[in-house]
């Protein structure tokens, strides 16, 4: 058909495309001048309008060309505009909160230990001093060796009482004096009652003491008293009066 558009003519389609390119270029130039002459607030509106115009032109050309190859310039422009329209997504920054510092565990108050008390040791109690034992009798006796009265002496009741061949002290023979228990003194010191009692307790089975002049010994009485004797004289060879003379001290019972 003359004077009309032939949809099947490829040259006519190409001319339409070229005319569309020219219009797009003119429109782009106008948009550029508007961008330069107007403030930035209009930039987004102008870019959006240009993108819509270009998209419509490309769509129209595609429909008119029946599937012909689209203009690469229009495709690039469309992609750029779409990228410009894509909103910027700001991802929130995740900050890991540090855990609060652990509270210190409550400490139980330690029980107050009492200070050790130092107790001074008590001094030992002084032993009571025994009262001195009183002397029951003190004097000189002569122990005869004839077997008659005076052959022995008893000292539990003052003054001493004579016995015949028996007594707390008695004539043994020419060299000894007898008693229920005797203990020789180890030295010449004059003992007291306690010393004689100690020596007698340590002695067992001795009943004779030497009648040598100067000999000292301890003895016991029938009543449990303690005595001390020293030989001061002897006459064993006298056939009429054999005897031994003694200085004697007898202590009373301890109270």
């Amino acid at each position: 058909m003359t004077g009309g558009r032939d949809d099947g003519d490829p040259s006519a389609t190409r001319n339409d495309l070229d005319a569309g390119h020219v219009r797009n270029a003119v429109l782009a130039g106008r948009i550029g001048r508007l961008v330069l002459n107007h403030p930035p607030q209009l930039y987004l509106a102008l870019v959006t309008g240009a993108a819509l115009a270009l998209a419509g032109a490309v769509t129209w050309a595609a429909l008119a060309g029946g599937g012909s190859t689209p203009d690469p310039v229009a495709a690039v422009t469309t992609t750029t505009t779409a990228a410009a329209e894509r909103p910027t997504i700001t991802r929130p920054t995740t900050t890991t909160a540090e855990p609060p510092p652990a509270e210190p565990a409550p400490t139980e108050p330690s029980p107050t230990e009492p200070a050790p008390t130092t107790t001074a040791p008590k001094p030992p109690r002084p032993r009571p001093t025994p009262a001195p034992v009183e002397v029951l009798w003190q004097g000189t006796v002569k122990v005869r060796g004839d077997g008659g009265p005076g052959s022995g002496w008893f000292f539990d009741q003052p003054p001493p009482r004579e016995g015949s061949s028996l007594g707390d002290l008695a004539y043994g023979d020419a060299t000894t004096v007898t008693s229920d228990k005797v203990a020789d003194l180890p030295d010449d010191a004059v003992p007291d009652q306690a010393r004689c009692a100690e020596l007698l307790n340590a002695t067992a089975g001795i009943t004779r003491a030497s009648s040598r002049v100067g000999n000292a010994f301890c003895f016991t009485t029938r009543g449990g008293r303690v005595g001390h004797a020293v030989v001061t004289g002897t006459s064993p060879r006298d056939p009429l009066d054999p005897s031994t003379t003694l200085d004697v001290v007898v202590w009373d019972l301890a109270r």
Side-chain angles (χ1 to χ4, degrees):
M1 181 180 295
T2 307
R5 179 182 174 184
D6 187 1
D7 293 337
D9 188 0
S11 61
T13 302
R14 189 176 301 110
N15 291 333
D16 292 337
L17 292 175
D18 291 340
H21 291 324
V22 172
R23 285 194 303 269
N24 290 337
V26 172
L27 180 60
R30 291 178 180 178
I31 291 173
R33 284 193 300 271
L34 289 174
V35 171
L36 293 176
N37 294 328
H38 290 80
Q41 291 80 357
L42 300 178
Y43 174 73
L44 181 60
L46 295 176
V47 171
T48 304
L52 293 175
L54 291 175
V58 171
T59 303
W60 178 80
L63 293 175
S68 61
T69 303
D71 186 4
V73 176
V76 172
T77 304
T78 303
T79 303
T80 304
T81 305
E85 292 178 353
R86 187 176 301 165
T88 303
I89 300 175
T90 303
R91 296 183 179 180
T93 303
T94 303
T95 304
T96 304
E98 296 182 358
E103 297 182 358
T107 57
E108 297 181 359
S110 59
T112 303
E113 297 182 357
T117 57
T118 303
T119 304
K122 295 181 179 180
R125 294 182 178 180
R127 295 181 179 180
T129 303
V133 181
E134 297 180 356
V135 174
L136 180 66
W137 182 86
Q138 183 175 2
T140 301
V141 295
K142 186 177 182 178
V143 181
R144 301 181 185 273
D146 57 4
S151 300
W153 294 88
F154 297 96
F155 299 98
D156 284 322
Q157 294 181 356
R161 180 172 54 89
E162 291 182 341
S164 298
S165 301
L166 296 175
D168 298 327
L169 286 177
Y171 190 87
D173 54 33
T175 59
T176 60
V177 177
T178 63
S179 178
D180 287 344
K181 192 174 186 179
V182 299
D184 291 331
L185 292 171
D187 49 41
D188 295 334
V190 178
D192 57 7
Q193 189 271 352
R195 176 63 172 159
C196 273
E198 180 182 359
L199 292 173
L200 290 168
N201 289 333
T203 302
I206 300 177
T207 59
R208 289 178 177 267
S210 173
S211 57
R212 173 181 54 84
V213 175
N215 183 41
F217 59 92
C218 298
F219 66 96
T220 59
T221 68
R222 304 290 175 89
R225 291 176 173 82
V226 174
H228 171 252
V230 179
V231 179
T232 59
T234 180
S235 60
R237 292 186 178 90
D238 186 353
L240 299 177
D241 189 17
S243 63
T244 300
T245 305
L246 304 165
D247 287 344
V248 179
V249 177
V250 178
W251 291 281
D252 201 355
L253 294 173
R255 296 178 181 180

